[in-house]
Amino acid sequence: MEIIMSAKRFLGRKVLMTGAATGVGNVLMHQLLAEGAIVVAGDIESSIEKTASDAGCVGVVADISNAAGCRWLHEAATAHFGAPDVLISNAGFIVPKPILETSEEEWDQVMAVNAKALFLLSKLVIPGMLEGGRGSIVATASISGMVGLGSQAAYCAAKGAIVQLVRQLAVEYAANNIRVNAVGPGAIATPFLDRYIDAQPDPKAAEDAVRAAHPMNRWATPQEVGNAIAYLASDDASFVTGHILMVDGGYVAR
Ligand SMILES: NC(=O)c1ccc[n+]([C@@H]2O[C@H](COP(=O)([O-])OP(=O)(O)OC[C@H]3O[C@@H](n4cnc5c(N)ncnc54)[C@H](O)[C@@H]3O)[C@@H](O)[C@H]2O)c1
């Protein structure tokens, strides 16, 4: 794996992160550990326990779409290392449908995994950050939170909610030295993208269309998105708050 940052920016930092079993979160977990962080990594997939333990951190099976799951994850983290310095709210889930085909249950689930989890986890970690006098929260938003995209009714709404909650929290807690930011990825080569493309009527045409929609004519590696999250979470971004860092090959610049 290619890790371009060499400094140990997270030495001793206590990181609580979600969506670490696969994709961006998994690559990021390894990067944070390589940079000295103490990590508690959550995911709904039971594989997280072994994946995290093999990497040298604690993995917790938790469904962060509801308050009980977020509490469970936060309690595991505080039992392991005390109050988190860093929250990375990265788990995400898409139902690739237009509004007329989206059920109420699908809407609620997409909003819960993406947006409500940031709300719930922020409520859990902010008191400890206030007490500690510092904190950094990074959420994974999307190009779908910045522009309207077809067949993504609930997902666009959920990622848009993340963008605005990030800005609101940033303003609310800036004076307390708690920074709140998000990354806004375009397409990323992860199982999430595979599932999205496979769900399209013509997967090959969809793959070509997704790639061509990005001015750089490709999609991101998970590491490229992980690098941006790590930057925002670290002291390298010490005067950056309320920012949505697009990692999209120029997608929203058009
Ligand atoms: N892959 C893309 O093209 C793309 C583009 C823009 C944004 N994103 C966002 O990037 C983030 C990371 O996704 P990825 O591409 O690495 O996909 P991924 O599917 O590989 O990883 C997402 C992880 O979230 C976990 N997760 C899903 N629901 C959960 C729940 N209820 N509780 C706990 N964990 C849960 C999954 O098990 C998985 O490990 C997500 O927020 C996604 O919305 C992805």
Side-chain angles (χ1 to χ4, degrees):
M1 185 195 326
E2 176 209 6
I3 294 176
I4 61 166
M5 306 293 182
S6 56
K8 293 228 171 199
R9 294 175 296 179
F10 293 92
L11 206 57
R13 290 287 160 90
K14 298 167 286 176
V15 178
L16 173 56
M17 65 181 297
T18 68
T22 60
V24 170
N26 186 263
V27 170
L28 179 63
M29 176 182 75
H30 284 95
Q31 172 161 357
L32 295 173
L33 289 166
E35 291 203 45
I38 313 164
V39 178
V40 170
D43 205 285
I44 197 167
E45 294 292 335
S46 56
S47 60
I48 189 62
E49 288 181 341
K50 181 168 183 340
T51 305
S53 142
D54 287 351
C57 64
V58 171
V60 179
V61 183
D63 177 358
I64 46 77
S65 68
N66 60 71
C70 289
R71 260 199 318 274
W72 170 257
L73 177 59
H74 182 252
E75 277 168 17
T78 51
H80 182 59
F81 55 38
D85 305 305
V86 175
L87 167 66
I88 295 171
S89 183
N90 167 72
F93 168 70
I94 188 171
V95 172
K97 292 184 181 176
I99 192 166
L100 298 182
E101 292 167 24
T102 303
S103 68
E104 183 179 356
E105 291 71 27
E106 288 170 333
W107 171 273
D108 287 345
Q109 186 62 10
V110 171
M111 292 301 287
V113 175
N114 292 282
K116 192 166 84 169
L118 175 62
F119 159 72
L120 293 169
L121 290 167
S122 296
K123 274 170 72 89
L124 288 164
V125 300
I126 286 173
M129 291 176 173
L130 287 171
E131 208 170 310
R134 72 165 185 213
S136 178
I137 297 174
V138 185
T140 305
S142 170
I143 51 174
S144 307
M146 309 299 277
V147 297
L149 291 172
S151 293
Q152 299 189 17
Y155 190 70
C156 280
K159 292 301 192 185
I162 288 177
V163 165
Q164 277 301 87
L165 182 54
V166 159
R167 291 176 176 145
Q168 194 283 332
L169 291 173
V171 170
E172 189 93 61
Y173 293 106
N176 302 103
N177 198 29
I178 300 173
R179 297 181 302 101
V180 188
N181 293 287
V183 290
I188 319 161
T190 67
F192 178 105
L193 182 62
D194 297 339
R195 285 191 300 272
Y196 177 78
I197 285 173
D198 289 346
Q200 305 306 310
D202 181 346
K204 177 73 182 86
E207 185 179 323
D208 292 344
V210 168
R211 189 183 293 108
H214 296 71
M216 289 182 79
N217 200 34
R218 66 174 179 87
W219 37 70
T221 65
Q223 185 71 62
E224 287 173 315
V225 179
N227 288 341
I229 296 174
Y231 161 71
L232 290 171
S234 78
D235 288 347
D236 283 353
S238 51
F239 202 54
V240 180
T241 196
H243 185 61
I244 314 301
L245 176 51
M246 301 312 295
V247 190
D248 65 353
Y251 195 108
V252 303
R254 279 194 204 273

